[in-house]
Amino acid sequence: MERGGTVDYWEHGDARGPGRPVLSTLLDVFRLRQYFNLITAARTWAEGVREDAGLLSDVRRAAFTLPGEGRRRVELRPFGPPEPFSVEWLGGKRLALMATGGSGALASVVGAARALEEAGVQPSVISLCSGSALFGFPVAAGVPAAEVAEFVLSFRPEDYVDVDWSTLAALVPTAARGFAGVIRGERIEATYRRLLGDMRLRDLPIPAYAPVWSVEENRLEYLGPRTYPDLSVARAVRMAIALPLFVEPVPLGDQSWCDGGIVDIFPVRPVLELEEPCDVSLAINGFYPPGFVGEDARGWQDRRASILYVASQVRTCQQAELARVNLRRLAASTEVLMTEPVPYHKVRGVGFYRQFLNPAEWPEFMRSGRSTARRALLGHRVDARTGRARAVQTAGSGVRTTGVRPEKAHRAAKVSGAPREPAPNGPGVRGSR
């Protein structure tokens, strides 16, 4: 179309109105971020296939098994006999159990729940996200940690992976209309119904929440007893893990909902706003480097294909910053015991997908979740004069628990996130107030 001596290139209009310029659509600043996502995803998968052929085996085994191929052997009982311990300083205080997303690495939630059982402490609220919903909702339903462990460790690929072969086969003839995920998600819901029946969110003995994202309205909501009381827990689990392009969106009402972890990886609203505020938060970071610091991309200008490293940072910049902001908000209102039971490299890149498809390491993640939670709770000290937490160094454990006043929470969160990689002696725990 020519106007005033210029030529505009337009894409076709639709029922909602006239078309838009093609270049305007392609170069929209928000669409550029999508291009960075695609670049980074392609690079991540290429590196993973090159560096770890096991990824292909995990994907294939999740999609179908070969004749005569047996099940993977996975340890079903990761915990020994209970080892009770006392946390007198928690007497009369409300404790929140919180977790990021992070695929199978959040099996560590089960270990943290086991530690709380051994301490005789029941969380007042549980805040979950994405992968942690697989493990945290059964805990909130009152299932003992050992039983939750056996339940999830007994998963076979067909219990939670249902590839939508018919839709995949029709991608070209249908021009991919309606396609938004490789896995349907129906099996994961059915599997959790076998454990929890038709329990509704309002029936949970411990209030639990997880963020979900609306495709149609591009907004975030939190599934839980005060927001969606009549929703089944099994459906909530399915919605919470519906990662776009990986698992199909789940219909609810007149909208389609996906994993809210793509926006809010460390949800604090359930603890600070939706439920009565808590005094202490036992938090698990199973997704980002310690302290949500983000990856270190120094020297990107000197690397080949530098744009790939820029793309990686752009892809996560908003999510990582929101996680840091949420941590500061939380530390300003509650005492935070931050644990990082799983080394970051386990979920970095294609590790995220491998830890979902292959549960072989889940038992160790559970044990690590238990041990770091126990150290966080036992390493806590309160100054008898001020009633405030004070720094404690636990000899030989690689654990440092630090408590500061709320007005210094911003600084504490920043300092606690200084390490770029887990300490050589293993997963760590940090606390702030």
Side-chain angles (χ1 to χ4, degrees):
M1 179 188 301
E2 295 190 14
R3 292 184 305 181
T6 64
V7 179
D8 289 339
Y9 293 91
W10 295 79
E11 63 179 346
H12 294 295
D14 57 25
R16 294 171 295 181
R20 297 177 58 198
V22 172
L23 291 182
S24 176
T25 299
L26 293 176
L27 298 180
D28 181 278
V29 66
F30 294 104
R31 186 160 295 196
L32 289 177
R33 187 162 177 255
Q34 296 175 9
Y35 300 153
F36 280 135
N37 287 346
L38 290 173
I39 292 171
T40 303
R43 170 190 164 215
T44 298
W45 276 87
E47 288 180 349
V49 171
R50 184 174 63 250
E51 296 173 4
D52 190 353
L55 170 66
L56 295 178
S57 175
D58 289 338
V59 171
R60 196 270 306 158
R61 290 183 68 117
F64 59 88
T65 56
L66 298 176
E69 187 173 51
R71 291 182 56 185
R72 282 193 174 103
R73 299 189 59 137
V74 178
E75 182 182 1
L76 299 181
R77 298 175 180 84
F79 308 122
E83 299 179 30
F85 64 103
S86 175
V87 284
E88 294 181 1
W89 64 272
L90 264 179
K93 294 183 178 181
R94 287 174 55 84
L95 178 138
L97 176 60
M98 308 178 65
T100 65
S103 186
L106 272 303
S108 51
V109 168
V110 182
R114 173 69 168 204
L116 290 173
E117 289 175 1
E118 293 173 326
V121 175
Q122 177 173 292
S124 298
V125 59
I126 300 179
S127 178
L128 304 164
C129 176
S130 189
S132 59
L134 292 169
F135 310 98
F137 271 118
V139 171
V143 182
E147 294 181 23
V148 176
E150 187 167 357
F151 167 69
V152 297
L153 293 173
S154 299
F155 283 175
R156 299 166 298 175
E158 58 267 30
D159 290 330
Y160 65 109
V161 176
D162 47 349
V163 178
D164 194 346
W165 295 111
S166 60
T167 298
L168 291 176
L171 284 181
V172 174
T174 64
R177 287 184 177 87
F179 172 74
V182 175
I183 295 174
R184 286 194 294 266
E186 295 171 354
R187 286 187 185 172
I188 194 72
E189 181 176 345
T191 296
Y192 276 76
R193 282 190 186 278
R194 289 200 295 271
L195 176 71
L196 305 174
D198 293 324
M199 177 183 285
R200 307 291 169 178
L201 290 173
R202 65 165 179 258
D203 301 322
L204 289 172
I206 304 172
Y209 294 81
V212 289
W213 171 73
S214 166
V215 176
E216 288 81 4
E217 298 186 358
N218 194 15
R219 63 184 173 86
L220 202 66
E221 290 202 7
Y222 297 83
L223 302 177
R226 293 181 182 268
T227 53
Y228 288 86
D230 295 325
L231 185 70
S232 72
V233 180
R235 175 61 61 90
V237 171
R238 176 184 173 187
M239 293 173 68
I241 67 162
L243 183 67
L245 300 182
F246 193 51
V247 182
E248 290 180 357
V250 183
L252 181 64
D254 60 352
Q255 297 178 53
S256 304
W257 298 87
C258 292
D259 176 356
I262 61 173
V263 179
D264 188 359
I265 197 66
F266 184 56
V268 299
R269 190 180 171 206
V271 174
L272 299 181
E273 299 175 17
L274 298 180
E275 292 288 332
E276 182 183 340
C278 290
D279 304 295
V280 179
S281 297
L282 176 61
I284 302 170
N285 172 18
F287 190 78
Y288 276 118
F292 304 131
V293 295
E295 291 192 10
D296 188 348
R298 290 180 181 88
W300 64 270
Q301 305 96 322
D302 302 321
R303 299 180 181 182
R304 300 167 82 178
S306 298
I307 189 64
L308 298 180
Y309 298 92
V310 176
S312 180
Q313 297 294 69
V314 171
R315 182 176 63 93
T316 61
C317 61
Q318 292 175 321
Q319 187 191 54
E321 181 59 22
L322 179 58
R324 291 189 285 266
V325 169
N326 281 350
L327 179 57
R328 292 195 291 269
R329 286 186 62 204
L330 188 69
S333 301
T334 79
E335 186 170 342
V336 182
L337 304 178
M338 176 63 77
T339 70
E340 277 137 355
V342 178
Y344 172 60
H345 69 85
K346 291 289 187 180
V347 292
R348 182 181 182 276
V350 296
F352 177 90
Y353 301 98
R354 291 207 66 189
Q355 296 303 343
F356 177 79
L357 297 172
N358 185 353
E361 293 188 275
W362 291 6
E364 187 55 40
F365 296 161
M366 293 177 184
R367 284 189 286 267
S368 185
R370 172 181 173 270
S371 63
T372 52
R374 284 178 65 98
R375 294 204 301 269
L377 295 167
L378 286 169
H380 180 281
R381 297 290 185 275
V382 175
D383 190 307
R385 295 171 301 168
T386 66
R388 298 191 183 104
R390 58 186 174 86
V392 174
Q393 183 73 39
T394 306
S397 68
V399 175
R400 189 169 73 85
T401 306
T402 306
V404 298
R405 288 174 293 178
E407 59 267 26
K408 296 188 178 180
H410 178 96
R411 180 181 177 189
K414 181 177 180 181
V415 172
S416 71
R420 293 284 172 176
E421 289 292 336
N425 54 351
V429 180
R430 287 186 308 280
S432 62
R433 182 177 176 86

